[in-house]
Amino acid sequence: MAEAAIQIEDVSKRYLLGEHHGAHGTLSDAFGGSVRRLLGREPAHLPEIWSLRDVSFEVETGQALGVIGRNGAGKSTLLKLVTHITEPTSGVVRTRGRVGSLLEVGTGFHPELTGRENVYLNGAILGMRRSEVAQRFDEIAEFAGPQVRRFLETPVKRYSSGMYLRLAFAVAAHLDADIMAVDEVLAVGDAEFQRKCLGKMSSFEREGRTIVFVSHDLSAVAKLCPTAVWLDAGRIRGYGPSREVVDDYVAAGITPTAEREFSDRPDAPVAARSAAVRSAAGNAVASLARDEPFTLELRFVVRERVADLDFAVFMENLRGVRVLDEAWSETAVLERGAPGEYVARISVPPVLVVGDYVVGFWVGSAYDTLIYEEEALRLRLEGDAKGRRNRIVQLGLAWEVERVAEPRPSARRAEPLPRP
Amino acid sequence: MAAVAEQWRENRPTAGARVLRLGELWSYRELVYFLALRDVKSRYKQAFFGIGWTVFQPIVGVAIFTVVFRRLAEVPSEGVPYSVFALLGFVIWSYFAGSFGNASGSLVANASLVTKIYFPRLAAPIASLLPGLVHLTIGLALLSGLMALVGFVPSLAAPLLAVCVLWTMAVALGPGLLFATMNVKYRDVGAVAGFLTQLWFLASPVAYPSSLVPDAWRWAYAANPMVGVLDTARWAVLGTPRPGPEILVSLGVTLALLGLGLLYFQRTEREFADVI
Ligand SMILES: Nc1ncnc2c1ncn2[C@@H]1O[C@H](COP(=O)(O)OP(=O)(O)O)[C@@H](O)[C@H]1O
Ligand SMILES: [Mg+2]
């Protein structure tokens, strides 16, 4: 048996809420708070969340481990512990060899710098020596593709997002690390780019590097990683051969949620009010017959005028495939979003197959994201899958069939075609 | 590629102060260099404001000083032409104020790195001290030009200026670390740092000589480490009276603040990625 490259022993990680992004306190609050605590007027503890709870496993040297689980299950937290970005609250994580983190594509890229300068900067951020980057520069540029290579001396702010991604991934892919921690990076980028990245990752595997790979794309996990771990609310719910873990995960489904209210953020220029799935009769339902149409409804309030207001709703199946993603701007001319309350509804015809779906939405403008809820609702479509597990949509398209020739006289007895 | 021979590296909860891992910081020196280079390049890429602004700022600053302090308040300048006296003060002070501000914001400005990559966190505030050196160099070139223009010969001790620059870095880094750390949790400390810098300016001999301060107050005055820095720099370059033993107070306060900053930074470092 190969030796372990990563050991995770009884690891738990607690976050204190209220310390979360965007909710930064001010000094005066803090002074006020500590005065109140000294006077015994306020409990000293903040609400807490256990992002990981009693997690233990090992990854062998040269093994590729997939990590799957719903949003908030603790996948990114696990990677941050393996990469030593953050400390566990209890337990211990051990790693052996150089750890490379690819938690986000293009971390540390600077828009004003040229492609070439960013390659060196990004290399240094990922822990590469300048000489190492110089030595691999041509390979990196080659991997990023001809389009990027032509613009290496141009500031990356002029790059398209595709070019930017290619270059960023190219740098990370040439990092000479023994352990690679990769988080959802393939969620972005076009199909060809994703294929290339996956190809590169399987070559890491062949080179004997250890990979921890978090992805929404369950088929990529199954293909790339022999073993997978399934995290659910911070705990390990499954561990083993990845095809089995993935199947269990998909079979476990989700708890449907038909309607959701969002807590208001009074300081936000745009805030979500509620989201719902409604049947044709207008009731909020989480579970529908496959052949019934339904409506997705989104309410939000605009407090400050937003130039080019836009919004989109999307649905993902449990294999992480986005089966629907509709933006308002695709059918309407964008206008200024005047302040006020908005209700947006979109009817979905009965084209989706039986299964569970996660509904998310986005509100923003041509330039900005104002609200992004990846997992607002959970919907179940019931009915007969007719044994066709791999299909994604069921459009009920009509066949047009006609018999275009009589059988030749020498043929055996002609059978009449059954009528549809 | 197989990593079998490598040592295990552990990630487990720690409490209290950690040891300063200077060896590790040293192995990340290229990152420090690239972070600094990034800031310099991005600042000077907006070419219009880049170099032009750097030259314009001290000239206008000294012109204002001359009107306000020299003409209106009739501040003396130790027998040195006032413009030369004030420009040296202005150039060093600007480097200090800029570096202190950069250091205070260094963690927040690199938040995406802090949450996505492992590196010794001290690299960010240290790197933030370097870009100002470009400004400083241009300012000093301007100073030599001015000295040539008015026919002022620098003192033989001028090379000691390099020591003063290192000292300035230390003065900026100590409080910079304290503010950078607080900034992670409380975003309003940025404003406090700005206000503090303004008060600090008035309490430093930038536009006036420290000889204006009554003798009885000299020791207390020297508790401001920039007093030691500026008096030493002027003595070295302009040949003004040599600073007395009270610069030891300045030096002591510098080291104390630096120690305090490092201690607080090291104690809190482990939370940066979670809280920022
Ligand atoms: N810095 C943080 N502060 C507070 N809570 C956090 C922080 N990072 C993650 N969490 C919480 O920990 C849980 C797990 O998050 P994460 O590891 O990002 O999940 P995943 O990557 O599986 O979606 C979530 O509930 C998230 O809100
Ligand atoms: Mg995540």
Side-chain angles (χ1 to χ4, degrees), chain B residues 63-119:
Chain B
I64 293 173
F65 282 6
T66 308
V67 172
V68 174
F69 290 92
R70 186 61 157 186
R71 293 277 138 73
L72 300 180
E74 296 182 351
V75 157
S77 56
E78 312 278 10
V80 174
Y82 182 78
S83 56
V84 173
F85 176 90
L87 185 56
L88 179 59
F90 186 91
V91 166
I92 293 180
W93 177 263
S94 305
Y95 174 64
F96 164 73
S99 299
F100 171 51
N102 279 352
S104 303
S106 59
L107 290 173
V108 172
N110 287 304
S112 69
L113 290 189
V114 170
T115 54
K116 296 291 181 342
I117 306 280
Y118 174 79
F119 63 94

Side-chain angles (χ1 to χ4, degrees), chain A residues 313-316 322 324-325 358-362 372-374:
Chain A
V313 62
F314 43 84
M315 289 178 68
E316 274 180 17
R322 201 165 269 209
L324 184 143
D325 187 342
V358 174
V359 181
F361 64 88
W362 169 90
Y372 186 65
E373 279 286 339
E374 259 181 301

Side-chain angles (χ1 to χ4, degrees), chain A residues 71-72 75-77 183-184 214:
Chain A
N71 271 324
K75 306 181 294 295
S76 299
T77 306
D183 194 357
E184 308 263 20
V214 169

Side-chain angles (χ1 to χ4, degrees), chain A residues 63-75:
Chain A
Q63 190 190 352
L65 177 82
V67 183
I68 60 176
R70 302 235 52 86
N71 271 324
K75 306 181 294 295

Side-chain angles (χ1 to χ4, degrees), chain A residues 3-5 13 15 19 24-27 30 80-81 83-89 91-96 101 103-104 107 110 112-113 117 120-121 124-125 129-130 176 178 207, chain B residues 1 3-4 6-14 18 27 30-31 33-34 38 41-42 45-46 112-118 121 184-189 192 270 273-276:
Chain A
E3 282 192 72
K13 174 74 185 177
Y15 283 115
E19 292 188 344
H24 287 281
T26 62
L27 262 185
K80 286 184 184 180
L81 291 169
T83 49
H84 300 255
I85 291 169
T86 186
E87 269 183 9
T89 308
V92 53
V93 179
R94 295 192 192 86
T95 55
R96 195 150 56 162
S101 46
L103 301 199
E104 182 186 74
T107 301
H110 196 287
E112 292 290 342
L113 301 184
E117 289 166 340
Y120 280 92
L121 171 65
I125 287 170
R129 302 223 161 282
R130 195 159 25 148
D176 192 8
D178 305 302
E207 290 162 15
Chain B
M1 184 61 48
V4 183
E6 300 255 6
Q7 285 281 314
W8 283 108
R9 198 164 142 230
E10 291 202 338
N11 184 7
R12 59 162 79 235
T14 56
R18 305 186 190 183
S27 70
E30 285 196 357
L31 177 62
Y33 167 76
F34 273 107
R38 174 193 70 184
K41 281 196 170 158
S42 60
K45 278 231 160 134
Q46 288 112 335
S112 69
L113 290 189
V114 170
T115 54
K116 296 291 181 342
I117 306 280
Y118 174 79
R121 306 311 188 194
V184 168
K185 264 195 170 164
Y186 312 111
R187 290 293 153 81
D188 54 348
V189 292
V192 178
R270 70 182 70 94
D274 297 344
V275 180
I276 204 163

Side-chain angles (χ1 to χ4, degrees), chain A residues 83-159:
Chain A
T83 49
H84 300 255
I85 291 169
T86 186
E87 269 183 9
T89 308
S90 65
V92 53
V93 179
R94 295 192 192 86
T95 55
R96 195 150 56 162
R98 186 165 164 187
V99 184
S101 46
L102 186 45
L103 301 199
E104 182 186 74
V105 171
T107 301
F109 260 46
H110 196 287
E112 292 290 342
L113 301 184
T114 66
R116 180 182 300 275
E117 289 166 340
N118 267 306
V119 168
Y120 280 92
L121 171 65
N122 203 230
I125 287 170
L126 294 173
M128 278 192 258
R129 302 223 161 282
R130 195 159 25 148
S131 53
E132 245 178 290
V133 181
Q135 205 182 347
R136 289 169 186 223
F137 191 88
D138 291 338
E139 251 178 277
I140 293 174
E142 179 73 30
F143 186 85
Q147 200 192 0
V148 174
R149 218 164 20 176
R150 237 178 306 132
F151 291 101
L152 278 175
E153 313 305 332
T154 308
V156 297
K157 67 177 177 190
R158 306 244 161 74
Y159 281 25

Side-chain angles (χ1 to χ4, degrees), chain A residues 270 300 306-312 328 334 362-372:
Chain A
V270 175
F300 56 92
V306 178
D308 295 347
L309 177 74
D310 195 5
F311 45 83
W328 188 41
L334 290 183
W362 169 90
V363 181
S365 65
Y367 327 99
D368 241 343
T369 291
L370 299 168
I371 306 176
Y372 186 65

